[in-house]
Amino acid sequence: MEEIIKIDSVDRYNKIFGLETKHPLVSVVDLTQATTWPLRARYRYEVYALFLKNIKCGNIRYGRQNYDYQDGTIVCFAPGQIADLEMLENRQPNVQGLIFHPDLIRGTALGQEMRNYSFFSYESNEALHLSEEERQTILDGLHKIQTELQHAIDKHSRRLICANIGLLLDYCMRFYERQFETRREVNKDIITRFEQLLDDYFTGDTPQKEGLPSVKYFADKVFLSPNYFGDMIRKQTGKTASDYIQDKIIDLAKQALLSSGKTMTQIAYDLGFQYPQHLSRTFKKVVGLTPNEYRMQS
């Protein structure tokens, strides 16, 4: 088994690539300045990382489709993620980016906002693909953070650094939303597939065997990470993927209530609920009536 290199500090990352550490909790990295790097390694990140690859991309696999991108790409990693890195032999890596430790943002406004930057949990094949103008915006953001790191650490440093990191991540969020729009036609195919998978799941006896389906179940079926899949569904439909699944379950429950003489317990079991009370609570929350009230009223 290949050894996993644990990156649990900014300095640890910089030492791997022969870079200088100017701040213990944050670093703007430029691998064109690296003096050493492993050709192949597996890393476990215990820090946040954002990398802009300043190279032309060939064919990138994205779900079941291949896309040809000619601009830079951004990949992000959050603490706990494992990534494989393979460098081209005899070629200096051309990557710029940002590494920061969770302690930097702990207790700050940025720390509270981090969960909203869902792209940190996207897979590498779901990278952010930038236009030249967008790429320059990211480079400008990195430059602002780097400029602040040149100053001696004072009482303003942390707040200013966190504010600039937050601004950089906000731009990434904007660019990802643009990317969802430019792939609207491709994403429609994925939504159609999602709807078909939902129908298939409840057609047979899968619910009785597996229980209620999760967002991850459907994301795996269309070869996307759960976060990217969920963000794409929300952007395209205005609903979360969880709500989409829940709406399907409620529709099926309504059909069963009106077209069969099954008891609530039988209907709940058929739909994959472990306890009929769970279906009753969910139904009342969505419809405003209990299942029995709905059946009688209809």
Side-chain angles (χ1 to χ4, degrees), residues 72-278:
T73 62
I74 283 181
V75 292
C76 300
F77 301 102
Q81 289 182 298
I82 295 176
D84 294 311
L85 178 64
E86 187 170 355
M87 296 288 191
L88 295 176
E89 201 165 357
N90 300 320
R91 182 179 295 184
Q92 181 86 22
N94 190 349
V95 175
Q96 290 171 281
L98 177 70
I99 305 282
F100 61 98
H101 195 279
D103 285 349
L104 176 74
I105 61 173
R106 205 178 306 279
T108 68
L110 178 59
Q112 296 173 356
E113 289 289 320
M114 282 304 294
R115 64 182 177 274
N116 296 326
Y117 300 116
S118 51
F119 51 81
F120 275 100
S121 295
Y122 292 171
E123 299 290 346
S124 58
N125 64 314
E126 299 158 349
L128 175 58
H129 307 281
L130 303 175
S131 68
E132 182 56 37
E133 183 179 357
E134 291 168 344
R135 177 178 170 275
Q136 192 56 54
T137 298
I138 296 300
L139 290 174
D140 288 346
L142 292 173
H143 177 70
K144 288 178 181 177
I145 299 169
Q146 178 72 350
T147 299
E148 183 57 38
L149 290 175
Q150 301 292 341
H151 291 283
I153 298 176
D154 58 27
K155 65 180 182 179
H156 302 289
S157 297
R158 187 185 185 204
R159 181 174 60 84
L160 291 170
I161 290 170
C162 288
N164 279 301
I165 292 174
L167 182 62
L168 180 68
L169 300 183
D170 284 343
Y171 275 116
C172 287
M173 185 69 80
R174 169 186 281 180
F175 298 155
Y176 255 117
E177 290 183 357
R178 179 272 306 158
Q179 185 162 289
F180 287 134
E181 287 296 329
T182 58
R183 293 185 182 160
R184 181 172 288 275
E185 291 304 313
V186 172
N187 292 342
K188 281 182 182 177
D189 293 340
I190 295 175
I191 292 172
T192 300
R193 175 68 175 145
F194 176 34
E195 292 171 343
Q196 184 61 56
L197 287 166
L198 264 173
D199 289 339
D200 293 346
Y201 191 91
F202 290 102
T203 298
D205 60 356
T206 306
Q208 295 90 51
K209 293 179 179 179
E210 304 294 335
L212 295 172
S214 65
V215 173
K216 184 179 186 304
Y217 172 87
F218 295 108
D220 288 345
K221 292 292 185 181
V222 295
F223 305 100
L224 295 173
S225 66
N227 270 20
Y228 188 93
F229 177 72
D231 287 346
M232 185 205 68
I233 295 295
R234 177 177 51 78
K235 185 67 178 177
Q236 298 294 316
T237 69
K239 294 181 182 180
T240 67
S242 295
D243 285 344
Y244 214 96
I245 295 169
Q246 179 179 265
D247 288 349
K248 177 69 174 181
I249 292 169
I250 295 301
D251 284 344
L252 291 172
K254 286 179 177 179
Q255 292 176 33
L257 287 166
L258 299 184
S259 63
S260 74
K262 291 182 178 181
T263 66
M264 261 301 301
T265 298
Q266 289 174 311
I267 293 172
Y269 175 73
D270 288 346
L271 293 175
F273 286 90
Q274 189 173 3
Y275 304 105
Q277 297 91 334
H278 186 188

